[in-house]
Amino acid sequence: MSKASVPVNRVVLAYSGGLDTSVILKWLQQTYGCEVVTFTADLGQGEELEPARAKAVLMGVKPEHIFIEDLREEFVRDYIFPMMRANALYEGLYLLGTSIARPLIAKKQIEIAKKVGADAVSHGATGKGNDQVRFELGYYALAPDIRIIAPWREWDLNSREQLIAFAEAHQIPVSKDKRGESPFSTDANLLHTSSEGKVLEDPWNEVPDYVYSRTNSPEDAPDVAQYITMDFEAGDPVAVDGEPLSPANLLAKLNELGKLHGIGRLDLVENRFVGMKSRGMYETPGGTILHLAHRGIEQITLDRGAAHLKDELAPKYAQLLYNGFWFSPEREMLQAAIDHSQAKVSGTVRLKLYKGSVSVVGRKSPNSLYSANIVTFEDDAGAYDQRDAEGFIKLNALRLRLLGRRDGK
Amino acid sequence: MSKASVPVNRVVLAYSGGLDTSVILKWLQQTYGCEVVTFTADLGQGEELEPARAKAVLMGVKPEHIFIEDLREEFVRDYIFPMMRANALYEGLYLLGTSIARPLIAKKQIEIAKKVGADAVSHGATGKGNDQVRFELGYYALAPDIRIIAPWREWDLNSREQLIAFAEAHQIPVSKDKRGESPFSTDANLLHTSSEGKVLEDPWNEVPDYVYSRTNSPEDAPDVAQYITMDFEAGDPVAVDGEPLSPANLLAKLNELGKLHGIGRLDLVENRFVGMKSRGMYETPGGTILHLAHRGIEQITLDRGAAHLKDELAPKYAQLLYNGFWFSPEREMLQAAIDHSQAKVSGTVRLKLYKGSVSVVGRKSPNSLYSANIVTFEDDAGAYDQRDAEGFIKLNALRLRLLGRRDGK
Amino acid sequence: MSKASVPVNRVVLAYSGGLDTSVILKWLQQTYGCEVVTFTADLGQGEELEPARAKAVLMGVKPEHIFIEDLREEFVRDYIFPMMRANALYEGLYLLGTSIARPLIAKKQIEIAKKVGADAVSHGATGKGNDQVRFELGYYALAPDIRIIAPWREWDLNSREQLIAFAEAHQIPVSKDKRGESPFSTDANLLHTSSEGKVLEDPWNEVPDYVYSRTNSPEDAPDVAQYITMDFEAGDPVAVDGEPLSPANLLAKLNELGKLHGIGRLDLVENRFVGMKSRGMYETPGGTILHLAHRGIEQITLDRGAAHLKDELAPKYAQLLYNGFWFSPEREMLQAAIDHSQAKVSGTVRLKLYKGSVSVVGRKSPNSLYSANIVTFEDDAGAYDQRDAEGFIKLNALRLRLLGRRDGK
Amino acid sequence: MSKASVPVNRVVLAYSGGLDTSVILKWLQQTYGCEVVTFTADLGQGEELEPARAKAVLMGVKPEHIFIEDLREEFVRDYIFPMMRANALYEGLYLLGTSIARPLIAKKQIEIAKKVGADAVSHGATGKGNDQVRFELGYYALAPDIRIIAPWREWDLNSREQLIAFAEAHQIPVSKDKRGESPFSTDANLLHTSSEGKVLEDPWNEVPDYVYSRTNSPEDAPDVAQYITMDFEAGDPVAVDGEPLSPANLLAKLNELGKLHGIGRLDLVENRFVGMKSRGMYETPGGTILHLAHRGIEQITLDRGAAHLKDELAPKYAQLLYNGFWFSPEREMLQAAIDHSQAKVSGTVRLKLYKGSVSVVGRKSPNSLYSANIVTFEDDAGAYDQRDAEGFIKLNALRLRLLGRRDGK
């Protein structure tokens, strides 16, 4: 193995405590003969983190090299909210729940690497997916000369059986439920849970019920709609039903509501950055509510010019995030443009949640640009002179008329 | 009235047979002393057209100057389907049901004007809305020297009372239910029904139930989901549940299904081309299903490059349609690009309809670009070499690394 | 004249002191019976401003209502430089010299209107051009309820003879050289001089020599090339040939150099916002040098992602400026994105000026992203692993291969 | 060498007859033990092709496996002209002369591979450049399962000395002038000559005179300007000075003119697709004239909507070409849009060539959309009603006024 022949001293591993990254931990120690530093983040994936510590200790990681951090507030405030300001949807539909988590993990790994003097970082993403790209573009952007070890692209453990055999051979505890093959693979954080692989691989087959973990099925949701309000300030949500909440708590609250009402399921075949199509199932309960609500408040507070420019930039922004270019000048440029538009995006949106769908049913704002006065069918007391429309149309038409004349119409 | 002082000989009026356009008919005869030619189109609005003929006769229109035409197939095939190929959504949400009907009406009026030697055309759209723009840009593009009469921008009949008084003074029959003010105003065609004005003018107030006419409320929809399939050929739908249907019949079928399941309601505050915000309620039952289904079939048949380019062009395409630029070189250029991408967009989509929402749950195609072989977590027998990912990432990262080094990271 | 029947109290006129705006001054006093406040700006047009004061006094403007201001530094620093950061070219070629001056004039007029309590503003732009739009969009954006008087759209003085007759009838001095018709019309400021109309109206005829006023003809330029350097800081030029210069002085210096070497002439048929095509001749000597030099420094200091995003945004930015939307949220959003990219755009560009053309012949920067080390054909000591290219290409090709297989290639 | 361990039967090599590809030819035979088929194309690079045949024979290539083809007409008609219709400029300045040649060579290699039953293709592009990507994306798009051999990424011949040693060891004739190191590297075809490397590697140093081969220096160009005309039909040039010419002959004629007058030199630091910046010098004499002339004819024949859409799409189109995505759905979609706009782009442009610069000085067309009638400062006999401008401005301003009011202006 030629790569391993270049010596590594200390590597910071994104460590979940699960089977895969435990095997990686051991494999790194063995293959590179290096110290492993573990980093375990709480991004709201809903798992206990302390067992990861115990497992790391068990595998010989020094206590001072075990980093466990609750990143939920930072994740929502500095990553999810900026993305939501952009109304970003990848390929028209996907709320980018996995993509948005990777840059933060990469950033923290690099910070730790600098702190502990590590010369390498490592992650558990496979060689076919987008996550390897997202992690590594993040690493390289923030530490251009860091060494990256991507075990899935290096080793020969190409099946679950081999992984488990390796684990057993090295006294890595394997929980019972991991022994059998999972019928699909998941990723989870405070924004979403994604599932893909195996039973989902035929895009003609409906996603089986048991794959869903974050939402009720719409059929099981309450038979009565629930109405909620969300308050926004400068483009970000700050309260639900009038109750001010921190970013992470607010998203958690929306997740609860979305789960109850079966909101945010998406069955998608998408185009990966690495060139293939994949089929995934996403559950983004709170994020789906937030996305719609943000559009709702923008409807009355954002000028048309700003709104249309945002709509034109959003697909590119979404592609950048999906492809792993969070830490890139072009993403930051787009963010600067988007954020500039959000200063007055404040007010209240009223939403209806019912059996799988969420609808904006009302919006109000001290910054509203909507003027019933002007738009009214009733007498507007001169607020708008309908005769202006004639000149407006005639000058907009002028080039088309010149064209029509030339073309003999 | 200075405009009226320029003589008009014969004018083709877009005539619905309703109160407003009947008043316009009479007003044109009186004010301009000209012959009125009526054009009444069936675009699937769900109204009888023959009463319009009787009314026109009653008001002195020559029988050979009364044109009534069933445009449903042309409307769906040549206007709605091309737009659906673009996945066009105005301001992220609106399926453009009103916008897409205007160009066809304008085109037919101009054809009739040429046939009967008319020197003018007229419509019943008001001076605050988008429809005047859409009609008139169409007229001017197709007949650059046509005279346009827009009564709502010229006359002094600024309230319903005045309209009714004018009607009564001129023996125009006014149906009883038109005497009282309607609490909102509507537009309908095979694609959608829109409602706006009056009770809808406060965007904070939920749209009252009685405004909806084309869809059940989700609450009243069946408690059991319905699954359907749609077949596509070259980007257009051709069958529902295996039954081949003409464009108009197919959309009508989807409308039935959408209505039953409460699908396609949208409460929106949008930005009009004339510069103000307005609040509307749209019901697009079949169109909502079609939009999602089209995205579904594209997911497996469209290459990423084509798909992303389409996503980037779609907002501009939607703005052009909304603003009335159907007959413009730039809309045609975008259509050429979009249509070029659709040749292989064929196959079958399976959808679930349930209480207000529609979801793609399966898609298959002889042209599928999805390859389970390549994407699989299982052994792919060498179809994809995971080691390629390293070079891919490193060269994508190179510029970010150079940047990071320069910036002292 | 119905417009004039709505009383105006005090109007701020953009006043050059020339024949046209002198006639307007008088016409406003007469037609509206209002006080006229004059605003005369030095934007580097190269004319004495004090005669404007004398003339205004002569026509009865109160001394305290005569505003004369040297705006050259503000103009270059806050308008031209931001535009240059964007590399904006309208329709691929035009450096927007007229467009960029209007917003500043509009802003100052509104400031004065607020100071003196004026209820109206007025300008001398005609009803066919872009400038009326640019002035008035500026007025409305900054003072939504201001009254605007556009004499050229209101009065009946439709020929030069009538203008002169009006002037003579009202004791307005007409300089001798204004008595005959000018064979073309011009606009000038520190950035450019534009000429249009009359002898230029046939776009097949070459622009006659006598139309040029700001540049030598390339044939008359020196036979020996001149080399200069320009230093940039954060996207803006700060020195020429090592000499630090204020924004206006720097542009004036570049104008001198450009004039000498016959640089910056452009014969263009362009599309006006009001819907027609017009033919103009532009001389932008210093601006042409600056534009190229800015691209030169960006070449080594700007990352590809930022550079390409800028290239994609630039046409839209240029359209916004051309159409008069400087004071719009979307222009500000684009500016925010562009400015975000410029922090490291510092360094030195070397240019060759010779008989009508300017070329970048060298660039260097402490922030350079160019690495001879990596790009070299020589041994790069491992800075770049050519084998990475294979994976890069293969994953970029993957979707094309899947497509080729599907399509039977 | 693991790659070489997978057997290759027959490989089609893009063969110039020069030292590098001759070494590759031999290396392929040796390393892979396979038959080599040579393909030598005349793209107007200005070299004799028959010596390549002799050399191939000498190295044991079967006569029926030596393919030499004159592609000049196809190259200009089907590649250069479509690109010129797009007004494509990479990074604002570069006319893409190298990029546009690669797809055609790739296409021909694949055609030959299919004809002779080859299982592999090979090229002489290095592992740091864009050309490897352009060749290989073309190969893969047209023959998804082709084997690609890129010797520069595989072998150990990393310096010119080693190359020459290899050549000598294998009886490959090395012309005397190739023994010394060339001080820079070039690529040439009918559109341009590019030079890069070595003496050009410091972007601060001016390109030395001896690097230029396709153009006179502006200083050596004639002291008197030359005027020419170019006729266009449907977006493509068809005649120079009234003389109809085939595509390749026309471009050759423009090259002559451009060379004489020192037109089309460009010193550029650009961003490669593989992630690094490189400095190149380009000479595109005829292409520079054509580019400007095409813009000139579009100015009077293209509607604003089409022109602006083209300007917005052009950067993306240029990036696709530069990056090697000629044979991609998205390039074809853009081409479809662009070509749709060109039907009426016919007429005549008059140009002035003088000491390094080319200027459009006149244009006329039977399809002209320019109307002196409408744009004139003189009386236009009612062709344009200046009063329309007021309504046009007021409705364009409406949203800005609402915004201004909200924001307290």
Side-chain angles (χ1 to χ4, degrees), chain B residues 193-209:
Chain B
T193 294
S194 71
S195 304
E196 54 181 11
K198 305 205 180 103
V199 300
L200 303 175
E201 280 186 5
D202 182 344
W204 177 245
N205 290 341
E206 188 171 3
V207 174
D209 268 350

Side-chain angles (χ1 to χ4, degrees), chain C residues 3 90-93 114 126-128 132-133 136-137 140-142 144-145 152-155 185 196-198 201 203-206 218-219 225 227 229 267-269 271-279 295 299-300 302 304 307-308 311-312 315 319 325 327-330 348-350 352 354-355 357 360-364 369-370 372 374-378 380 384 386-387 389-390 392-394 396-397 399-401 403-405 409, chain D residues 3 90-93 114 126-128 132-133 136-137 140-142 144-145 152-154 185 196-198 201 203-206 218-219 225 227 229 267-269 271-279 295 299-300 302 304 307-308 311-312 315 319 325 327-330 348-350 352 354-355 357 360-364 369-370 372 374-378 380 384 386-387 389-390 392-394 396-397 399-401 403-405 409:
Chain C
K3 275 178 187 299
Y90 183 65
E91 302 192 339
L93 296 166
K114 289 182 177 174
T126 71
K128 284 186 171 180
Q132 57 177 339
V133 190
E136 298 179 26
L137 291 182
Y140 280 135
L142 301 173
D145 297 307
W152 284 99
R153 297 200 305 256
E154 290 188 26
W155 69 23
S185 144
E196 54 180 10
K198 305 206 180 101
E201 279 186 4
W204 178 245
N205 290 341
E206 188 171 1
E219 284 87 345
Y227 287 82
T229 63
D267 170 350
L268 184 70
V269 177
N271 293 290
R272 287 193 186 155
F273 188 30
V274 293
M276 66 187 69
K277 286 183 182 290
S278 71
R279 196 265 192 105
R295 277 221 171 259
Q299 284 166 16
I300 54 168
L302 211 58
R304 182 184 72 201
H308 288 196
D311 284 347
E312 290 172 32
Q319 289 166 32
F325 290 93
F327 296 112
S328 72
E330 63 271 31
T348 303
V349 175
R350 194 159 169 263
K352 177 184 176 186
Y354 178 65
K355 283 197 172 287
S357 58
V360 172
V361 299
R363 55 304 250 169
K364 65 179 178 184
L369 291 165
Y370 175 88
I374 282 185
V375 79
T376 186
F377 283 107
E378 327 275 318
D380 66 4
Y384 175 96
Q386 304 210 16
R387 285 171 180 81
E390 184 181 337
F392 180 71
I393 295 169
K394 281 176 100 167
N396 270 299
R399 64 179 179 95
L400 302 176
R401 297 174 78 183
L403 202 61
R405 278 184 203 137
K409 277 171 186 155
Chain D
K3 276 179 185 298
Y90 183 65
E91 301 191 339
L93 296 166
K114 290 182 177 173
T126 71
K128 284 186 173 181
Q132 57 177 341
V133 190
E136 298 180 25
L137 291 183
Y140 281 135
L142 301 173
D145 296 308
W152 284 100
R153 297 200 305 257
E154 291 189 25
S185 145
E196 53 180 10
K198 304 201 181 105
E201 279 186 6
W204 178 245
N205 290 342
E206 189 172 2
E219 283 86 346
Y227 286 83
T229 63
D267 171 350
L268 185 71
V269 177
N271 293 290
R272 288 193 187 155
F273 188 30
V274 293
M276 65 186 69
K277 288 183 183 289
S278 72
R279 196 264 191 107
R295 276 221 172 259
Q299 284 166 16
I300 54 168
L302 211 59
R304 183 184 72 201
H308 288 196
D311 284 348
E312 290 171 32
Q319 288 166 32
F325 290 93
F327 297 111
S328 73
E330 62 271 31
T348 303
V349 175
R350 194 159 169 262
K352 177 184 175 185
Y354 178 68
K355 283 196 172 288
S357 59
V360 172
V361 298
R363 52 308 249 170
K364 64 179 177 184
L369 291 164
Y370 175 87
I374 281 184
V375 78
T376 186
F377 283 107
E378 327 275 316
D380 66 4
Y384 175 96
Q386 305 209 15
R387 284 169 181 82
E390 184 182 337
F392 179 73
I393 295 168
K394 281 176 99 168
N396 270 300
R399 65 180 178 95
L400 302 177
R401 297 173 77 184
L403 202 62
R405 277 184 204 137
K409 275 169 189 159

Side-chain angles (χ1 to χ4, degrees), chain B residues 1 4 14 41 165 190 222 243 265 271 277 303 311 333 349 381 388:
Chain B
M1 189 154 290
L190 200 49
E243 184 189 4
R265 295 178 165 195
N271 292 290
K277 288 184 182 289
D303 164 74
D311 283 347
M333 286 170 68
V349 175
D388 289 337

Side-chain angles (χ1 to χ4, degrees), chain A residues 3 91 127-128 144-145 201 206 227 272 277 302 304 308 330 370 374 386 390 399 401 405, chain B residues 3 91 127-128 144-145 201 206 227 272 277 302 308 330 370 374 386 390 399 401 405:
Chain A
K3 276 178 185 298
E91 302 193 339
K128 285 187 171 178
D145 297 307
E201 280 187 5
E206 189 170 1
Y227 286 83
R272 286 192 187 156
K277 287 184 183 288
L302 211 60
R304 183 183 71 202
H308 288 195
E330 63 271 31
Y370 174 88
I374 282 185
Q386 305 210 14
E390 184 181 338
R399 65 180 180 95
R401 296 173 77 183
R405 278 184 203 137
Chain B
K3 276 178 185 298
E91 302 191 340
K128 285 186 172 179
D145 297 308
E201 280 186 5
E206 188 171 3
Y227 287 83
R272 287 193 186 155
K277 288 184 182 289
L302 211 59
H308 288 195
E330 64 271 31
Y370 175 88
I374 282 184
Q386 305 210 16
E390 184 181 337
R399 64 180 179 94
R401 297 173 77 183
R405 279 184 201 136

